[in-house]
Amino acid sequence: MVSRDGEIVRADPVLEAELVDDAARDPRQPTEHGTIPSWWRRSPRVPTALKSWQAARHAAKDGAVWALRSPTRFTGAVVRGVVAAARLWRKWVTVQDYRDAAEQSEKLADKFTEIRALTLFRWKVTAAVAAATAVVVLVTHLLYGSVVLWIGGTVAAVALAVLGRRKEGSPGRKPVLSGPRSMTWTMDPQVLVDAFRDAKLIGKDETLRLVERASRQGDGWAITVDLPATRKAADVIKNREALASALAVDEVQLIVERVRGNGGHAGRVALWVADEDPYAAPSVATPLLRVEHWDAWRPVPFGQDARGRRVYLPLVWTSLLIGAIPRQGKTFAERLAAAGLILDPFTRLYVADFKGGKDWDACQPCAHRFFSGDEEENLFAFKAWLEELVSETQGRYARMRLLDDETCPESKITPQISRTPALDMPITAVIVDEAHIPLECRTQVDVEGKREPLGKYLGDLLTWLAKKGPAAGIVVVLATQRPDGTSLPTSLRAVLGSRFALRVMDWRDSNIILGEQMNTRGYDSSKLLASHKGVGILRPDGETEAGADALAMTVRTYYMPNKDWKEICRRGRALREAAGTLSGHAIGAESTPMLDHAAVAKAVGASNVDESEPTELAEPLASVVDYLGGDLDEEDGRAFVPTAELVEALGVEPTSFGRQMSDLGCRSRRERIPNADGSVRQVRGYFTADIRAAVVAAGHEEAGP
């Protein structure tokens, strides 16, 4: 065999073989079905606990648990038996059945004398039986000693325990006294069924199918169930708070996940309930402190979910938006994402700290571009950076076009390309803290001969980079404490792949960060507790180790104080010195590039006009489109939707709903619709044609799911 270098190397041996059918097997060889171990595993006469070591271990554990719990369960059954026996005796002695029959036939007054006489007779029978029993017990005790009392007490206790036992498939007898509930579903699956019914997640006559029995996982209990037919796991996730109330736990202790993939379906739910608040414990230090370097192509360790599973955040080929109100850990979360990039010597960092503090000063020695402050000169420096990156992105695509298919197979940057100095295309991260400050700037600048606010132009540049940059190795990371439509344009939010929302003021702010309608799917960061610092809802763009198939997850970020942050930045500087990749601000050679600003502005403007990717709809139009779904279809859908139906379905206030829809270009009209009896009534509502027109006017090419 000849290698690429022209040398002759020895090739591996080539083996010839043929497929042999099972029918052609040598009959003298014993098959698996004929062996004793195979018969033992397959025979229905052999107990399941004896068929494998795993089943035997489970059986041993179950036996140990049963033995430990037997005294408590027996005592509880006896107490319930005493209560049940007392109830039965009371019904008998008061002639309850006779009395109920008389009341139903409205002859209670006529039968009162008979009922009273029968009640008195049964009291006498009770007294006679009690006296006779006492005499028999006393005589036998005198003749045979205390052994009679032990035997009699044991028999009575067993009888009462049988009477008070919890039957299979039912929750057992109801408690006499109401009191605090507890997580007894971990021991009795029927309580879980009752909780689903109380939360209105299944019907009164429906039940759950147990897929995996309750077991300990970490500091809580886990169980997997199948919902009844037509019931969806998404509804359970959306109504997690109601289910937590039915289980008598705080909603932060309840984790509900849909089981997807080959082992799951739309109606399979995995539940995990923590023993206590999982976010009350101190935060865990970032594992990046224990590594010498990190590969930017690997997702960055970002935090842990409630179950203690590590959550990784992918950064390459995507972008990240972090939003929160002040002092909730926004900058800490952004520095965690940046730490993985800092520890890769082949990444290039653009760090813009518009807060003007010292949170980011430690990364100056390894940053290609850096400034801290919100002065006008900083805003224009940021503008020059973004124009430089737009030009750099265009140049990268031009250079990738010239590479062969083996080096660049999909017109996207690869690890090999990003680490080849001759190609000069390293992973480049644009990290912006307090991103709302530059985007709200109203200073007028010239763009292609037109005057427009600097903030709008910066937003267009960032939008262009978030759209075009990921495939060329440009990573945009933005953090803001004012997540609203003014400070964060809709066109920019729509193209930011990963979202992380720490605590905000209301569900509208949460939806601005995470995406429209996320609160209706059970993800609302305004419900996070103020005491849970660093806890937020992560909507990743890509798979994560914890909850890889989940739409979003609640994550507690790792803890990285200033001392650890400085150590990581110092390590990043040393790695770049060893690799020879220090540049720009890190070596004091930062300069503003000479660019064709008109060409950059033209490219950004053309992208914003020609890009076919739809932006997010404003509320309540987005909710209306989501509710109508296929009914917006022009051919097969509905032509008219009453306002009352939309108001009831969306749970909105009618007056404000009508005003908001009118502002979005969709006015209500009167239309005659038929009633069930054939008559016609006039109602106010919206034509679906008007709704489609409002959606198209908002920048969407099609109105539908």
Side-chain angles (χ1 to χ4, degrees):
M1 176 178 177
V2 181
S3 66
R4 291 185 180 180
D5 300 332
E7 298 181 358
I8 299 178
V9 297
R10 185 179 183 84
D12 294 333
V14 179
L15 304 179
E16 295 183 357
E18 63 177 350
L19 294 175
V20 179
D21 189 68
D22 288 340
R25 186 189 299 272
D26 189 347
R28 293 173 296 177
Q29 296 181 356
T31 62
E32 181 183 358
H33 297 284
T35 60
I36 293 179
S38 176
W39 171 85
W40 185 270
R41 290 192 299 270
R42 298 174 182 273
S43 175
R45 299 179 180 84
V46 178
T48 304
L50 301 179
K51 290 185 177 182
S52 66
W53 285 108
Q54 183 178 7
R57 286 195 298 270
H58 277 298
K61 291 180 180 179
D62 291 342
V65 172
W66 180 87
L68 293 173
R69 294 181 55 220
S70 291
T72 304
R73 294 181 62 185
F74 182 78
T75 304
V78 170
V79 173
R80 291 192 298 271
V82 170
V83 174
R87 288 177 174 175
L88 293 174
W89 171 80
R90 185 175 180 276
K91 288 182 179 180
W92 176 79
V93 79
T94 57
V95 201
Q96 191 65 42
D97 53 347
Y98 195 3
R99 185 186 297 272
D100 292 341
E103 288 180 353
Q104 292 178 3
S105 61
E106 298 182 354
K107 295 182 179 180
L108 181 60
D110 299 337
K111 302 293 184 178
F112 181 76
T113 304
E114 298 178 13
I115 292 174
R116 183 177 179 80
L118 186 56
T119 300
L120 182 61
F121 172 75
R122 290 185 176 182
W123 270 106
K124 292 178 180 179
V125 170
T126 301
V129 171
T133 302
V135 170
V136 170
V137 170
L138 180 61
V139 171
T140 53
H141 175 65
L142 293 175
L143 294 176
Y144 300 102
S146 60
V147 66
V148 175
L149 298 179
W150 284 103
I151 294 175
T154 302
V155 172
V158 171
L160 291 173
V162 172
L163 181 62
R165 74 188 185 281
R166 294 183 183 271
K167 298 181 180 180
E168 184 70 23
S170 66
R173 305 185 182 279
K174 295 182 179 180
V176 181
L177 301 176
S178 61
R181 294 164 291 167
S182 62
M183 286 166 45
T184 55
W185 70 271
T186 57
M187 300 300 177
D188 186 357
Q190 181 60 36
V191 179
L192 182 62
V193 176
D194 292 340
F196 269 78
R197 290 173 180 167
D198 293 341
K200 303 296 189 293
L201 296 174
I202 61 175
K204 184 181 297 183
D205 299 327
E206 294 177 326
T207 186
L208 302 174
R209 178 179 175 271
L210 189 65
V211 179
E212 293 181 4
R213 62 180 182 176
S215 60
R216 291 289 299 180
Q217 290 187 10
D219 296 328
W221 287 89
I223 193 171
T224 303
V225 297
D226 277 348
L227 301 174
T230 73
R231 300 285 183 174
K232 297 181 293 184
D235 295 332
V236 181
I237 297 174
K238 181 169 62 177
N239 295 281
R240 180 175 62 93
E241 189 173 346
L243 181 58
S245 174
L247 290 172
V249 298
D250 192 280
E251 56 266 29
V252 300
Q253 296 177 244
L254 175 62
I255 305 299
V256 183
E257 297 174 349
R258 175 185 167 184
V259 182
R260 309 193 66 170
N262 295 331
H265 54 79
R268 180 162 292 180
V269 181
L271 304 173
W272 185 81
V273 178
D275 299 332
E276 55 188 15
D277 186 351
Y279 306 117
S283 299
V284 180
T286 174
L288 290 176
L289 292 172
R290 300 190 295 270
V291 300
E292 290 298 326
H293 60 85
W294 191 260
D295 185 355
W297 288 86
R298 295 174 56 192
V300 177
F302 192 64
Q304 293 181 336
D305 66 358
R307 304 173 66 168
R309 298 176 299 183
R310 183 173 294 182
V311 176
Y312 289 91
L313 178 66
L315 291 177
V316 178
W317 287 345
T318 185
S319 49
L320 173 64
L321 170 63
I322 301 174
I325 60 177
R327 295 177 299 279
Q328 290 299 314
K330 169 176 48 57
T331 300
F332 272 76
E334 192 175 23
R335 293 199 308 193
L336 279 170
L341 302 174
I342 290 174
L343 290 178
D344 187 339
F346 295 97
T347 60
R348 187 176 292 168
L349 303 175
Y350 286 67
V351 181
D353 178 17
F354 285 100
K355 184 186 295 184
K358 59 179 182 179
D359 295 327
W360 293 92
D361 286 352
C363 71
Q364 288 194 59
C366 53
H368 180 71
R369 297 281 187 264
F370 180 90
F371 70 73
S372 178
D374 58 354
E375 303 297 331
E376 185 172 298
E377 60 183 24
N378 300 127
L379 296 174
F380 281 96
F382 186 55
K383 170 178 172 290
W385 290 7
L386 297 183
E387 290 175 337
E388 176 187 8
L389 288 169
V390 170
S391 179
E392 168 69 14
T393 303
Q394 292 173 319
R396 290 189 180 193
Y397 280 119
R399 295 198 296 276
M400 282 191 288
R401 193 181 301 118
L402 302 176
L403 299 177
D404 58 79
D405 291 341
E406 184 178 353
T407 304
C408 184
E410 298 179 359
S411 297
K412 293 181 179 179
I413 194 171
T414 64
Q416 179 185 357
I417 294 175
S418 67
R419 292 186 174 91
T420 302
L423 297 177
D424 192 26
M425 287 189 281
I427 296 297
T428 302
V430 185
I431 302 169
V432 186
D433 199 0
E434 306 295 352
H436 59 277
I437 294 177
L439 297 176
E440 291 177 340
C441 180
R442 295 294 176 260
T443 302
Q444 297 292 315
V445 295
D446 289 324
V447 180
E448 286 192 285
K450 298 180 181 179
R451 301 284 289 177
E452 67 177 43
L454 177 59
K456 180 181 182 304
Y457 181 53
L458 294 177
D460 292 341
L461 290 171
L462 284 171
T463 303
W464 192 94
L465 286 174
K467 289 178 180 179
K468 303 288 188 179
I474 308 299
V475 180
V476 178
V477 181
L478 306 179
T480 177
Q481 61 176 319
R482 294 183 58 185
D484 54 41
T486 304
S487 61
L488 206 62
T490 303
S491 59
L492 175 58
R493 284 188 281 115
V495 293
L496 295 173
S498 297
R499 318 284 186 87
F500 184 60
L502 294 139
R503 182 170 171 264
V504 294
M505 295 305 296
D506 60 27
W507 61 270
R508 297 175 185 84
D509 294 339
S510 178
N511 281 352
I512 286 176
I513 303 170
L514 296 175
E516 297 294 345
Q517 302 297 309
M518 287 298 289
N519 67 311
T520 63
R521 303 180 190 181
Y523 304 103
D524 185 357
S525 63
S526 66
K527 295 184 178 180
L528 298 173
L529 299 181
S531 59
H532 292 163
K533 300 295 184 182
V535 177
I537 298 176
L538 175 65
R539 187 179 182 182
D541 183 15
E543 293 188 355
T544 59
E545 184 173 327
D549 299 314
L551 175 64
M553 67 194 78
T554 303
V555 176
R556 183 167 197 170
T557 57
Y558 287 120
Y559 182 60
M560 187 171 60
N562 287 332
K563 181 182 70 172
D564 298 340
W565 166 246
K566 292 178 180 178
E567 170 61 24
I568 287 178
C569 292
R570 184 199 61 78
R571 201 178 302 167
R573 167 80 182 196
L575 290 171
R576 283 165 174 77
E577 288 178 344
T581 55
L582 283 175
S583 61
H585 182 86
I587 59 175
E590 184 173 7
S591 61
T592 303
M594 299 298 295
L595 301 173
D596 186 349
H597 298 284
V600 173
K602 184 177 179 180
V604 174
S607 173
N608 291 338
V609 172
D610 298 335
E611 186 68 39
S612 61
E613 185 174 353
T615 58
E616 296 183 22
L617 288 174
E619 290 291 351
L621 186 59
S623 299
V624 172
V625 172
D626 186 56
Y627 169 71
L628 293 178
D631 289 337
L632 283 178
D633 186 75
E634 190 170 358
E635 297 181 358
D636 303 327
R638 301 164 62 181
F640 182 80
V641 184
T643 302
E645 177 185 342
L646 293 175
V647 168
E648 181 181 1
L650 303 180
V652 295
E653 199 277 322
T655 304
S656 61
F657 174 75
R659 184 173 60 253
Q660 292 169 350
M661 289 291 287
S662 179
D663 294 340
L664 293 171
C666 189
R667 297 181 179 275
S668 63
R669 306 174 186 271
R670 292 189 178 275
E671 178 70 2
R672 296 181 179 273
I673 62 174
N675 294 323
D677 57 0
S679 60
V680 178
R681 61 190 177 97
Q682 191 177 50
V683 299
R684 183 172 288 277
Y686 298 88
F687 287 97
T688 53
D690 294 340
I691 297 175
R692 288 195 298 271
V695 172
V696 173
H700 285 240
E701 292 188 350
E702 64 174 304

